[in-house]
Amino acid sequence: MALDKNIVLVGMMGCGKSSVAKVLGDLLSEYEVVETDKEIELIENSSISEIFRKKGETYFRNCETAFLHQIKNKRKLIISCGGGMFIREENRKLLKTGSVSFYLSGSAKTLCNRLNGDSSRPLLNCENVEEKIKSFLKERTPYYELADLKIDTNLKSVEDVAKEVMEKFINYGK
Ligand code: S3P
């Protein structure tokens, strides 16, 4: 039974981590939703775009790791990770302790459609967003696949994905 653990959501920008975490938080009222990007924005008193612009990506990646150290002893969290969080080995180790991790997958087309018109992702600030997403997927999928479980989000509603995560979490290790 996994119920005293954390739920960790990983995957590409646009896979629905934040929306799914929100619905999960309503379904599992004892669990606290933690959005790593939001927490970093609070700590740094700056938006993600501004952090990238003023301090660079490496600084942001170090903020991500530092934040995971801050919460490493907490449980019953639903941790919605920024899309690059699961790439660094140290982050994976921290996230995979005391948790069940879920890779929310989606095709480049699906992710691109979901991100349409959203300018808050500095790494997608480019001409051909779909091509960029494809290249990120190629590079990152092997890391995302290291999550405990994978859920295909293509053609599914946020509510359906959240219910699937909850059911798999409750039954994990039974
Ligand atoms: C990033 C994803 C973003 C945010 C930052 C970098 C990435 O989070 O952490 O812009 O490297 O994929 P979301 O996945 O919530 O968009």
Side-chain angles (χ1 to χ4, degrees):
M1 182 92 136
L3 280 175
D4 54 349
K5 295 189 172 182
N6 293 332
I7 297 176
V8 170
L9 304 180
V10 304
M12 267 294 288
M13 296 170 264
C15 73
K17 292 160 291 184
S18 309
S19 317
V20 169
K22 201 162 171 281
V23 175
L24 266 176
D26 293 336
L27 293 172
L28 296 165
S29 54
E30 286 171 57
Y31 285 69
E32 184 194 341
V33 176
V34 174
E35 282 238 28
T36 62
D37 281 350
K38 273 198 192 154
E39 297 298 328
I40 292 167
E41 288 184 327
L42 282 176
I43 294 166
E44 293 294 310
N45 194 23
S46 186
S47 71
I48 301 294
S49 301
E50 212 171 62
I51 300 172
F52 268 74
R53 199 173 60 244
K54 293 194 176 153
K55 301 200 165 161
E57 182 171 351
T58 306
Y59 180 88
F60 172 70
R61 298 299 173 201
N62 292 337
C63 290
E64 290 190 307
T65 305
F67 178 67
L68 293 186
H69 276 284
Q70 270 189 36
I71 60 165
K72 70 181 168 197
N73 295 320
K74 293 196 177 179
R75 294 294 178 266
K76 293 202 168 189
L77 301 180
I78 298 162
I79 306 174
S80 168
C81 295
M85 182 73 104
F86 217 53
I87 310 310
R88 200 184 259 194
E89 190 184 2
E90 183 178 0
N91 296 352
R92 283 199 303 278
K93 270 195 191 144
L94 288 161
L95 284 166
K96 282 178 71 76
T97 303
S99 75
V100 183
S101 49
F102 293 82
Y103 166 31
L104 306 188
S105 72
S107 69
K109 192 133 226 102
T110 299
L111 301 172
C112 197
N113 287 339
R114 290 193 190 136
L115 291 165
N116 193 16
D118 187 331
S119 59
S120 66
R121 269 89 172 183
L123 295 177
L124 296 181
N125 200 353
C126 58
E127 284 277 300
N128 192 335
V129 173
E130 194 169 334
E131 277 311 307
K132 187 80 188 162
I133 289 178
K134 276 188 189 155
S135 101
F136 273 128
L137 276 176
K138 193 159 173 242
E139 190 182 304
R140 293 177 171 184
T141 302
Y143 299 104
Y144 292 147
E145 300 269 2
L146 297 171
D148 297 312
L149 297 165
K150 176 177 174 176
I151 295 180
D152 180 344
T153 71
N154 290 298
L155 303 174
K156 288 182 192 159
S157 69
V158 168
E159 287 73 20
D160 286 345
V161 177
K163 277 187 204 143
E164 206 173 321
V165 171
M166 185 176 75
E167 276 158 23
K168 291 196 161 132
F169 177 64
I170 290 171
N171 290 311
Y172 191 77
K174 256 191 186 170

